[in-house]
Amino acid sequence: MPEPDVAAAAPKVDDRAAVPAPERAAEPVAEPVVEPAVVPEPTDAAVAARAVARDRAATGGARRRARLGAAVAAGTGVVLLAATAAIASGTVTDALVRPPATDLPVPAAAVPAGDYTAVCAAPPRLLEAAAEGADPQFSPASSTAKTSVAALVLSDLSATLTGSGLLPVGPGAPLSMIQDFAPETSLAADAPASSGADGLTSRIAGVARGVAVDAPTLFRAQPQGGLTPVAAATSTYTATDGDLRGLAATGCQVPSSDFWILGASTTVGASSILTLTNPTGTPATVTVELSGRDGRIDAAGSRGQLVAPGETRRIVLAGLAGNQDQVAVRVRSDGGRVTGVIQQSVLRGLTPGGIELLSPTAAAGVTQVVPGVVVQDAATARRVREQDGYGTAAPELQVLVPGSSDAVLDIKVYGPDGVVDLPGGGVGTAAAGSVMTVPLTDLPEGTYTIAVTSDVAVVASARVTRGIDAGKPVDFAGAPSAVRLGADHAVALAEGVDAALVLGAPSGRGEVTLTPVAADGALGDPVVIGIAGGTSVTVPASSLGRAPAGVIIDAAGDPVYGAQVMTLPGDRAGISVASVPAGSTGPQSIPVELGY
């Protein structure tokens, strides 16, 4: 397997994080004025025309000046008469009812930068039996289970860190502070700092590592220089015993009002628990929409779920859609924005079958790209899969068609050496409203990026598995579709695991700059990676320096997508995948359309 095109770049360019000026709102294009068609005037219209002619003759010269008020009144009456006649005859055209086309700029409203706020998921919990009609009960996973959060925030060019830290969702003392929060009144800076007091530019990062948590956690970073900061956090769960044995790591989520999660299952031995958290100060009314292999699933109690401010609510999906091997969930919120993950676990008899926190995918679209699809060696995978009851311990692609039209899919698999063929050519049809799966068991051992192109909007994700041998526990992970990489993506690397970045470019050629962040916050030398179109490369975190705490990612050229793949070190089956989150910065003004 050829090595990726990796070259050390010059020291980090100091103005790399400078945010471009907001794009000017596009001006509306003037619509052409349509001239009315010439049609024979009916009797009423002819009368109106003669009245107009008499009025024009009567309003000439001095007489018009002497009787200006009367002429205006008469002219108005004639215009109304003519309009009435034209309406009665059906000859009103766009020229009469359409206002004149003008090039008026669309006003733009400045939007003040807000905090970076991300919710780190609650640790996995065992679902215990409860009395009929009672709320479900949860208990700790095992004696060895632990969950920790790693977070980082990037400074401005003067090496000044903004207020940031890990907090409980709701009231309570901070769990870990990177920098003390500043008063809100001191945050209204006109522009980001371009240098320090000595005139030199420098950037550092604030890092929090190994923060133990036992409940949903909020990572908050204040705006800096009028911009939302570059920040990220990752939650990592591990357990070496118990029914929830394995690895489950996920990026902490920015709240949203609409998102999709794929990969849930409610068959015998499988447990799916949707966990919703509202970190805002506004109550959220949540609607949960479910889809399966056979289409949409109508479930009583899936609408009007109230999640109060600072509250976390768990919903057992088997109570809404039982005995479904594929369940896709759409969460929509009115009021406060929420975050959501699905705690998915499998128990095959007495043998743990894996644990994962399934995270939201990229928004529905005609193109979906899923990086970080890991396929283990065929011999081991076959020994595991051929065991009784282990048929689902296999990698597969999941595609949901949320609309009302069937989708024609073109699926491409990209490895380090280019396109890898799928049986059947990778072209198929998916039924509207249903979840379709594509087996990936025939792929050679490796790590891939998969691109799905459709003629209608779809949502995609993948399931990957890792086993050691027959008779031993198996773990699995959900690899969600990802957003295109741009500038200033922060990745907090998971702790206690072997981590790698998987970068895929479906077409063209992309260039990715990786800047490692050390545990003390120092930025290392950037590493520039060229990615040929139609390939996927894997960059171990260990190649970026000695135990890096995080990475800052910048991409240029054609579209590139990325994910963090994590595995437990040694002879253990744990695996997890988290897509690279969207960049923190964005436009600071939005176009405002006034209408009624």
Side-chain angles (χ1 to χ4, degrees), residues 314-589:
R314 292 179 174 91
I315 301 172
V316 180
L317 293 182
L320 301 178
N323 199 30
Q324 299 281 335
D325 68 335
Q326 287 292 336
V327 179
V329 178
R330 183 182 188 182
V331 176
R332 293 194 292 175
S333 170
D334 290 331
R337 294 175 298 165
V338 299
T339 62
V341 297
I342 294 178
Q343 175 190 314
Q344 179 70 49
S345 60
V346 176
L347 189 64
R348 296 181 175 91
L350 299 177
T351 304
I355 174 70
E356 180 66 317
L357 294 173
L358 302 174
S359 300
T361 69
V366 296
T367 299
Q368 296 285 313
V369 180
V370 184
V373 179
V374 181
V375 178
Q376 68 177 142
D377 69 279
T380 301
R382 189 180 303 109
R383 287 197 300 271
V384 170
R385 193 167 57 250
E386 288 176 350
Q387 299 178 95
D388 185 29
Y390 280 73
T392 59
E396 67 178 14
L397 177 70
Q398 304 146 354
V399 180
L400 167 67
V401 185
S404 58
S405 299
D406 294 352
V408 178
L409 307 177
D410 185 11
I411 302 170
K412 300 291 186 184
V413 180
Y414 304 110
D417 298 323
V419 178
V420 179
D421 293 332
L422 277 174
V427 178
T429 302
S434 66
V435 180
M436 178 185 122
T437 59
V438 179
L440 303 175
T441 51
D442 290 333
L443 293 177
E445 179 183 6
T447 302
Y448 302 94
T449 295
I450 298 179
V452 180
T453 304
S454 171
D455 59 340
V456 298
V458 296
V459 184
S461 183
R463 180 180 66 203
V464 300
T465 60
R466 190 181 188 211
I468 301 303
D469 211 337
K472 294 186 178 181
V474 176
D475 199 12
F476 68 93
S481 59
V483 298
R484 176 181 176 176
L485 297 181
D488 284 339
H489 297 262
V491 176
L493 295 175
E495 300 179 79
V497 302
D498 292 333
L501 294 175
V502 179
L503 305 169
S507 61
R509 182 178 179 84
E511 185 176 272
V512 178
T513 301
L514 305 176
T515 304
V517 179
D520 61 0
L523 301 188
D525 293 333
V527 175
V528 179
I529 300 176
I531 306 176
T535 65
S536 181
V537 300
T538 301
V539 183
S542 57
S543 68
L544 300 175
R546 187 173 179 272
V551 181
I552 306 299
I553 302 177
D554 296 281
D558 292 296
V560 178
Y561 303 81
Q564 179 183 181
V565 175
M566 299 146 280
T567 56
L568 289 176
D571 192 23
R572 291 186 287 175
I575 186 169
S576 197
V577 181
S579 59
V580 174
S584 301
T585 57
Q588 300 301 302
S589 66

Side-chain angles (χ1 to χ4, degrees), residues 112-115 162 182-193 222-227:
D115 292 352
T162 187
E184 298 293 334
T185 55
S186 66
L187 299 177
D190 293 333
Q222 290 181 303
Q224 190 170 45
L227 300 174

Side-chain angles (χ1 to χ4, degrees), residues 267-341:
T267 55
V268 176
S271 174
S272 295
I273 303 167
L274 173 63
T275 302
L276 302 173
T277 300
N278 178 6
T280 73
T282 304
T285 302
V286 174
T287 296
V288 178
E289 300 176 3
L290 306 174
S291 300
R293 285 191 187 273
D294 298 326
R296 295 177 180 84
I297 302 171
D298 294 327
S302 62
R303 298 181 179 274
Q305 301 275 357
L306 180 63
V307 185
E311 181 185 57
T312 293
R313 185 165 188 174
R314 292 179 174 91
I315 301 172
V316 180
L317 293 182
L320 301 178
N323 199 30
Q324 299 281 335
D325 68 335
Q326 287 292 336
V327 179
V329 178
R330 183 182 188 182
V331 176
R332 293 194 292 175
S333 170
D334 290 331
R337 294 175 298 165
V338 299
T339 62
V341 297

Side-chain angles (χ1 to χ4, degrees), residues 92-109:
V92 176
T93 65
D94 289 345
L96 176 62
V97 298
R98 180 184 298 164
T102 55
D103 289 336
L104 296 178
V106 177

